[in-house]
Amino acid sequence: MDLQAHVRTALLDAIAQGGRSEALGGEPMTTEQLTRLLDGLHEGETAVKHGLAEKINFEVTLLKAVEASRARAIDSLIKELARLAGEAPEATGGGEKKKRPLE
């Protein structure tokens, strides 16, 4: 089976499973991660087919695709930070007095 087809199957599985798939083995991957992995593989396909060192080009493409799959979209990071900020205790809470600025 073609590697892109295998990742595509995992992506379809993730969609069917509500956003995560274990079809590639190891840690479950989100649809976002699988999409980034698939994009990375697709992006490097031409270099692999037409490059001078096919094996090296394939390895570099695979490494780039894996790194891209590990990246997080900025909007998901913003949501995570907002959630954590909402859960964090107030810095001035707990009976501490607010400090007045020096005059």
Side-chain angles (χ1 to χ4, degrees):
M1 177 185 258
D2 174 295
L3 183 56
Q4 287 185 18
H6 192 63
V7 174
R8 180 184 173 275
T9 301
L11 177 60
L12 294 174
D13 180 59
I15 292 168
Q17 299 296 325
R20 290 192 175 274
S21 174
E22 295 181 13
L24 295 181
E27 293 289 319
M29 294 182 75
T30 66
T31 54
E32 181 182 330
Q33 290 172 312
L34 291 164
T35 300
R36 288 176 185 267
L37 181 59
L38 195 56
D39 285 345
L41 292 173
H42 181 71
E43 212 173 272
E45 185 174 22
T46 303
V48 171
K49 286 183 179 178
H50 302 293
L52 296 175
E54 195 172 290
K55 180 180 178 184
I56 293 171
N57 289 338
F58 172 73
E59 290 169 348
V60 169
T61 295
L62 189 55
L63 288 171
K64 285 181 178 180
V66 168
E67 283 302 311
S69 74
R70 291 180 177 171
R72 291 183 66 185
I74 190 72
D75 59 331
S76 67
L77 288 173
I78 291 169
K79 288 177 186 174
E80 181 71 12
L81 287 172
R83 183 185 66 76
L84 291 172
E87 293 176 0
E90 290 287 329
T92 58
E96 292 181 20
K97 293 181 182 179
K98 291 185 182 178
K99 294 182 180 179
R100 291 185 187 171
L102 296 175
E103 294 179 19

